[in-house]
C-alpha cells in the first residue's frame, strides 16, 4: 500500500514541474519585457550617476639625494656649535623625516585645512553648496593605507594614498596637492625645530660673549685703579723714575711688575704713561671672543629665510596616477546585474500570474 502512494506523489511532482515550465514559457514575454525594462533603467542609472575617478600614489622614505641639503645644514650646525651641540642621531635618519611627513598627511586637521584651500572646494562654495557636506564628501574620497610588513619587506616603509574626483584631472590634482602640501608643512615643522635649536645656541653664545666683555671691562678698570693708586704712592715717595730691579748688596731685588703692591716702584713717569695708554686704548678681547663672533655670524646664515634649504621628506615609489578607468559606476556590472534582476523579477511576476490564474480556474470549476 505504501509503495503505490509514493509513485503517485512523484508523478504529481513531475507533472507540476512540467506545468510550471509551460506556464513560464507562456508568459515568456512578461519575463523578457521585465528584464528589458530593468536593463534600460540600469543604463539610465549609470549615465545619470556622477562618475568617480581615482588617482593613486605610493610614497616611501626620502632617498639620500633628496635630503643632501638638509644633512648639510645639520652638519653645519654641529660644526658651528662644536662641543656645545650634541644633536640626537635620529635627526640624520631618513625614516624620521618620513615619519614627520606621515604625521602631517594622516592628520585630519591638516586634511581639512588642505581641502578648504583647494579650488574644488571654493568653486563648490560659490555654487551655494553646504560647506560641511562638501568636506564630508571630500574626506570620503581620501584613502591612505600603510603597507603590511607581512606582505612587503620591513625596510620598505611606505604608504599608498588615493584621492577620488569627478574627473581624472581633478583626482590627480587633488592627490598631488595633498602630498606636496603635507611635505611643505612637515619641512616647516622641521625648520621651526631647527630654528629653535639655533636660537638656543645663539642665546648661549650671546651670554658667553657678554661675560667675556664684562670680564675684560672689569679687568681694565681694575688695572686703571691699581695704576692710579700706585701713582699716588710714587708721588708721595718721590719716586720719579723706575727703580732698578736685581741684586743689591748681595740681596735679590724685587720686581714690581710681579706684585701689584709694588707698582709704585715703576715711578711717576712710567705709571703716568701706562695710565694714559690704558685709558685711551680699546678693550683687548681674548681669541674666544672672536671665535664666538664668527659662530654667531654663521648661525645667522642657517636661518636665512631668503635662502631656504631645499629637500624632501618623502620619495614617490609611484607618482599620482592619471586614472584611465572609472572607479564608479561600474557600468557593465550594473547593467548586467540590472538585467539579471529584471529576469528574476519577471519570473516572480509570471509565477504570481500563474498562481492567480490557477486559483481562478479552481474557483470557476463546478462542485
Amino acid at each position: 500500500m505504501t509503495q503505490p502512494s509514493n509513485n503517485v506523489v512523484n508523478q504529481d511532482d513531475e507533472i507540476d514541474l512540467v506545468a510550471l515550465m509551460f506556464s513560464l514559457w507562456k508568459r515568456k514575454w512578461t519575463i523578457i519585457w521585465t528584464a528589458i525594462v530593468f536593463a534600460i533603467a540600469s543604463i539610465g542609472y549609470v549615465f545619470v550617476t556622477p562618475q568617480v575617478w581615482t588617482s593613486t600614489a605610493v610614497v616611501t622614505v626620502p632617498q639620500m639625494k633628496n635630503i643632501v641639503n638638509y644633512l648639510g645644514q645639520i652638519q653645519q650646525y654641529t660644526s658651528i656649535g662644536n662641543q656645545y651641540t650634541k644633536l640626537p642621531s635620529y635627526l640624520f635618519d631618513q625614516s624620521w623625516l618620513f615619519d614627520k611627513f606621515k604625521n602631517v598627511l594622516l592628520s585630519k586637521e591638516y586634511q581639512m585645512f588642505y581641502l578648504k584651500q583647494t579650488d574644488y572646494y571654493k568653486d563648490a562654495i560659490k555654487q551655494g553648496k553646504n560647506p560641511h557636506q562638501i568636506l564630508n564628501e571630500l574626506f570620503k574620497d581620501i584613502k591612505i593605507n600603510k603597507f603590511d610588513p607581512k606582505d612587503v619587506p620591513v625596510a620598505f616603509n611606505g604608504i599608498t594614498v588615493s584621492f577620488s574626483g569627478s574627473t581624472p584631472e581633478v583626482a590627480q590634482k587633488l592627490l598631488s596637492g595633498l602630498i606636496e602640501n603635507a611635505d611643505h608643512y612637515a619641512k616647516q615643522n622641521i625648520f621651526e625645530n631647527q630654528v629653535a635649536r639655533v636660537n638656543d645656541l645663539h642665546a648661549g653664545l650671546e651670554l658667553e660673549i657678554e661675560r667675556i666683555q664684562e670680564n675684560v671691562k672689569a679687568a681694565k678698570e681694575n688695572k686703571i685703579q691699581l695704576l692710579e693708586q700706585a701713582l699716588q704712592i710714587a708721588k708721595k715717595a718721590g719716586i720719579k723714575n723706575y727703580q732698578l730691579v736685581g741684586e743689591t748688596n748681595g740681596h735679590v731685588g724685587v720686581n714690581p711688575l710681579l706684585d701689584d703692591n709694588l707698582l709704585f716702584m715703576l715711578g711717576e713717569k712710567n705709571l703716568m704713561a701706562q695710565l694714559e695708554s690704558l685709558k685711551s686704548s680699546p678693550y683687548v678681547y681674548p681669541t674666544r671672543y672672536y671665535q664666538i663672533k664668527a659662530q654667531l655670524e654663521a648661525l645667522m646664515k642657517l636661518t636665512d629665510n631668503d635662502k631656504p634649504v631645499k629637500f624632501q621628506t618623502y620619495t614617490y615609489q609611484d607618482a599620482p596616477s592619471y586614472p584611465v578607468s572609472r572607479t564608479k559606476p561600474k557600468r557593465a556590472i550594473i547593467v548586467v546585474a540590472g538585467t539579471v534582476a529584471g529576469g528574476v523579477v519577471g519570473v516572480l511576476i509570471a509565477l504570481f500570474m500563474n498562481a492567480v490564474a490557477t486559483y481562478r480556474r479552481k474557483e470557476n470549476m463546478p462542485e
Side-chain angles (χ1 to χ4, degrees), residues 17-217:
L17 180 59
V18 172
L20 178 62
M21 295 300 296
F22 273 108
S23 65
L24 290 177
W25 178 251
K26 288 173 59 178
R27 294 176 173 80
K28 59 182 178 294
W29 288 110
T30 300
I31 299 173
I32 293 172
W33 280 112
T34 304
I36 292 174
V37 169
F38 271 73
I40 294 173
S42 300
I43 294 172
Y45 171 79
V46 297
F47 279 103
V48 172
T49 301
Q51 298 182 15
V52 177
W53 303 77
T54 301
S55 177
T56 303
V58 180
V59 290
T60 184
V61 296
Q63 297 180 3
M64 188 60 65
K65 65 181 181 180
N66 301 127
I67 61 173
V68 169
N69 294 332
Y70 163 78
L71 293 176
Q73 187 184 54
I74 294 294
Q75 291 170 353
Q76 186 178 0
Y77 169 80
T78 304
S79 64
I80 291 172
N82 295 328
Q83 70 273 21
Y84 297 93
T85 55
K86 293 183 180 179
L87 295 177
S89 59
Y90 63 77
L91 291 177
F92 300 88
D93 188 358
Q94 295 160 268
S95 297
W96 179 79
L97 293 172
F98 188 57
D99 287 339
K100 286 290 185 181
F101 166 78
K102 288 191 295 185
N103 289 342
V104 175
L105 184 65
L106 296 171
S107 169
K108 294 298 182 183
E109 183 178 356
Y110 159 71
Q111 293 176 10
M112 181 178 294
F113 175 80
Y114 165 72
L115 293 174
K116 288 182 177 180
Q117 308 304 314
T118 60
D119 294 334
Y120 184 91
Y121 175 82
K122 294 177 181 178
D123 291 341
I125 294 296
K126 291 179 181 178
Q127 295 172 8
K129 295 183 179 180
N130 186 290
H132 297 291
Q133 183 180 356
I134 300 170
L135 286 176
N136 288 335
E137 292 175 356
L138 289 173
F139 267 127
K140 294 177 182 177
D141 293 333
I142 300 175
K143 298 291 185 296
I144 302 176
N145 298 315
K146 297 181 181 179
F147 284 114
D148 191 341
K150 298 178 182 177
D151 300 331
V152 297
V154 176
F156 186 72
N157 182 15
I159 56 175
T160 56
V161 189
S162 62
F163 207 117
S164 301
S166 56
T167 65
E169 294 81 6
V170 169
Q172 187 181 46
K173 183 178 180 180
L174 289 174
L175 178 58
S176 298
L178 180 72
I179 294 173
E180 292 168 6
N181 278 275
D183 174 62
H184 169 75
Y185 288 111
K187 288 188 293 187
Q188 184 177 357
N189 179 264
I190 294 170
F191 177 75
E192 289 174 353
N193 289 333
Q194 178 69 355
V195 170
R197 285 190 289 270
V198 169
N199 290 339
D200 183 60
L201 176 58
H202 191 282
L205 293 174
E206 286 283 2
L207 180 61
E208 185 178 357
I209 206 170
E210 287 177 5
R211 289 175 179 173
I212 291 176
Q213 289 173 336
E214 291 174 357
N215 291 337
V216 169
K217 182 179 180 181

